[in-house]
Amino acid sequence: MPPRNHASSGAGADADPGSPGRPHTAESPARLRSTDIARLAGVSVAAVSIAVNGRPGLSDATRKRILDVANELNWRPHLAARALKGAANDVVGIVIARPARTLGVEPFFAQFLSGLQSCLSNRGIATQLLIVEDTETQVAVYRRWAAENRVDGLVLLDLAVDDVRPQLVADLGIPAVVLGSHGNPMPLTSVWGDDHAATVSILRHLVALGHRRIGHVSGTVAYQHTQRRLRAIGDVRDSTGIDVTSIATDYSDAQGASATRRLLETRPRYTAVVYDNDVMAVAGLGVATEMGIAVPGEVSVVSFDDSVLTTMAHPSLTALTRDTFALGTLTATELLRVMAERPAPRPVQAPTPQLVIRQSTAAPAER
């Protein structure tokens, strides 16, 4: 059917005087329908459907006019229709604000996402993962997904100090679970592990071996779990009198290696180094080998995260171990409960990581 040419001069009282036929900018895109786009573009509803679905049957000029109107008003047809119908998408969303290259070599995320998806797959639910640059972009994505009814639930990771996302997501009405928060009261259900107790167990192991000068290669200090680890270090430092120096990184092998070099070049040298993930720990082990510093004879190495990397390294690395796959399934189970029941938020504690002592830690050499 050829497009019908509807005049746009009789737009009505809600038209913007500065843009004939267009609604006020305050008009929510979620309230627009294909009939509105058709009226504003001067075409039929069928033409709108053809244009937005990329089907043949329209001239290039007509297609462009329709798509220009839709884009200007931020209108998305199928998703808007689903929102109006309250339809489920069978999709859970995750938006991560970290460098994609860093995540690509991070075993923790691979295991966590595998556990999460394995549980969701049993219900026919997919995971939509988006990697962005910063929190501001994350917030914009959450708002857009809420307006479009894009996802049925969310998993929030890397909770930051004074993070605005939990309250925002709660206000948007999207069922969600946060990984982290240490059991503090939150507007969303949280799954958390005791990072403080886990960090203390590492330091007490090193202190018992006789280490008094310890380096710490941390992750991003803006994250709440990093702050909890730093507080644990401060508590042990205060109670034992040991010397601990922390260097912040982005969790990458490159920055982990750079931080290790700084620590091992310091005089007097640190006799043990603790890493916030296994990727940095393995990189640090490589730096020590390159510098001719024996592990554990001259420096002990401990990783906060455990994976196949720590057991394949030589020497094998002492590490905090937890079932990260099970952590993903626990998070998915809680999210499914929240999606189905919309209950009051609650903290759910995961098992505390346990220290597994391997070949990379020993008493410091006499000086």
Side-chain angles (χ1 to χ4, degrees):
M1 176 184 297
R4 291 178 293 183
N5 186 20
H6 293 265
S8 59
S9 58
D14 64 343
D16 185 343
S19 181
R22 302 294 169 86
H24 286 293
T25 55
E27 179 78 25
S28 169
R31 299 209 303 264
L32 294 174
R33 302 185 181 186
S34 57
T35 53
D36 299 308
I37 304 302
R39 174 175 58 82
L40 296 171
V43 298
S44 68
V45 174
V48 172
S49 177
I50 290 171
V52 298
N53 287 291
R55 298 198 301 266
L58 296 176
S59 69
D60 290 343
T62 300
R63 186 185 305 276
K64 182 177 185 304
R65 185 166 74 251
I66 296 169
L67 295 179
D68 284 348
V69 171
N71 289 335
E72 181 181 338
L73 297 176
N74 196 29
W75 181 75
R76 295 164 178 81
H78 296 303
L79 295 171
R82 291 180 72 87
L84 290 170
K85 295 176 183 177
N89 298 283
D90 294 330
V91 174
V92 164
I94 303 175
V95 187
I96 302 176
R98 284 200 195 187
R101 187 179 298 275
T102 301
L103 284 176
V105 295
E106 177 60 80
F108 173 87
F109 279 103
Q111 285 296 309
F112 175 80
L113 292 175
S114 295
L116 185 84
Q117 186 59 70
S118 71
C119 183
L120 296 177
S121 294
N122 292 333
R123 303 290 189 91
I125 298 174
T127 302
Q128 179 167 343
L129 173 63
L130 190 61
I131 301 175
V132 299
E133 292 298 321
D134 49 38
T135 301
E136 182 179 353
T137 308
Q138 282 181 306
V139 167
V141 171
Y142 295 146
R143 290 186 183 279
R144 187 174 75 249
W145 283 359
E148 297 172 348
N149 191 36
R150 177 74 66 91
V151 298
D152 302 312
L154 291 171
V155 176
L156 276 61
L157 304 174
D158 291 336
L159 205 65
V161 177
D162 298 325
D163 203 313
V164 300
R165 294 178 298 151
Q167 189 60 58
L168 169 72
V169 169
D171 292 343
L172 290 172
I174 307 176
V177 169
V178 176
L179 181 63
S181 86
H182 201 252
N184 296 329
M186 291 193 65
L188 300 176
T189 286
S190 63
V191 175
W192 63 281
D194 196 338
D195 289 275
H196 188 283
T199 303
V200 168
S201 70
I202 291 177
L203 295 178
R204 293 207 176 279
H205 167 63
L206 293 174
V207 169
L209 289 173
H211 293 277
R212 309 294 296 176
R213 187 166 167 78
I214 300 170
H216 172 223
V217 181
S218 82
T220 306
V221 295
Y223 295 154
Q224 288 190 19
H225 63 262
T226 302
Q227 289 296 319
R228 289 194 293 272
R229 296 175 192 183
L230 292 173
R231 283 195 294 272
I233 288 172
D235 291 344
V236 176
R237 181 194 294 120
D238 293 343
S239 64
T240 63
I242 61 174
D243 176 12
V244 184
T245 297
S246 294
I247 299 177
T249 72
D250 64 356
Y251 289 102
S252 69
D253 55 338
Q255 290 198 14
S258 176
T260 301
R261 192 172 298 278
R262 287 172 55 189
L263 290 169
L264 297 184
E265 287 176 346
T266 302
R267 294 296 180 268
R269 182 189 299 147
Y270 293 89
T271 63
V273 182
V274 179
Y275 298 85
D276 269 11
N277 73 0
D278 45 5
V279 172
M280 295 194 296
V282 173
L285 179 62
V287 169
T289 300
E290 178 188 328
M291 295 177 68
I293 299 172
V295 178
E298 296 176 87
V299 63
S300 290
V301 172
V302 183
S303 172
F304 196 94
D305 280 332
D306 197 12
S307 75
V308 66
L309 292 179
T310 61
T311 57
M312 292 177 64
H314 182 73
S316 58
L317 300 182
T318 296
L320 284 171
T321 188
R322 58 183 162 188
D323 191 337
T324 308
F325 186 93
L327 182 65
T329 60
L330 174 60
T331 303
T333 299
E334 281 302 305
L335 181 58
L336 290 170
R337 183 184 68 87
V338 171
M339 289 163 55
E341 303 173 13
R342 301 295 182 104
R346 70 176 186 180
V348 178
Q349 185 172 4
T352 301
Q354 300 298 306
L355 188 65
V356 176
I357 300 171
R358 299 193 180 103
Q359 299 169 342
S360 65
T361 51
E366 294 186 6
R367 296 188 180 277

